[in-house]
Amino acid sequence: TWKSCALPTRQTAGVRACVEQGAAGTDLRATITIKMVVEGTGKVSRSQVQAPHYLFEKGLLNCAQRALGQIKFPATGAPTVVTFPVNLG
């Protein structure tokens, strides 16, 4: 199941902080797309980050994966793919 949704700020705050940290001191404008597999237990098991290469050079991928690993969703009993945008600028 694919879902595109507005996640609560408390759940995405860590990822947003990673994006803001990577873009600090620039006037970069972009939409970063985060896709993740949320297991039936509510734990994020895999993630994919689509962003400008510049942000990857600034450590976005590792930072975002750590932040995503700390997010806990309600258990649904089935894996769900969730995608959400982070707008920059």
Side-chain angles (χ1 to χ4, degrees):
T1 304
W2 286 89
K3 291 188 178 183
S4 181
C5 59
L7 297 174
T9 303
R10 63 180 165 73
Q11 287 184 307
T12 60
V15 175
R16 291 178 191 279
C18 292
V19 171
E20 291 170 5
Q21 177 183 349
T26 72
D27 61 353
L28 185 63
R29 296 179 186 275
T31 298
I32 291 79
T33 303
I34 310 292
K35 292 182 181 178
M36 60 188 143
V37 175
V38 179
E39 295 300 328
T41 61
K43 182 158 178 59
V44 176
S45 63
R46 289 179 291 173
S47 61
Q48 179 183 26
V49 179
Q50 295 175 330
H53 184 72
Y54 173 83
L55 292 175
F56 289 116
E57 292 174 354
K58 296 294 184 177
L60 173 64
L61 185 60
N62 289 334
C63 184
Q65 287 178 333
R66 278 191 310 273
L68 290 168
Q70 296 175 4
I71 296 175
K72 180 71 173 166
F73 292 91
T76 62
T80 304
V81 177
V82 178
T83 182
F84 70 94
V86 177
N87 294 313
L88 183 61

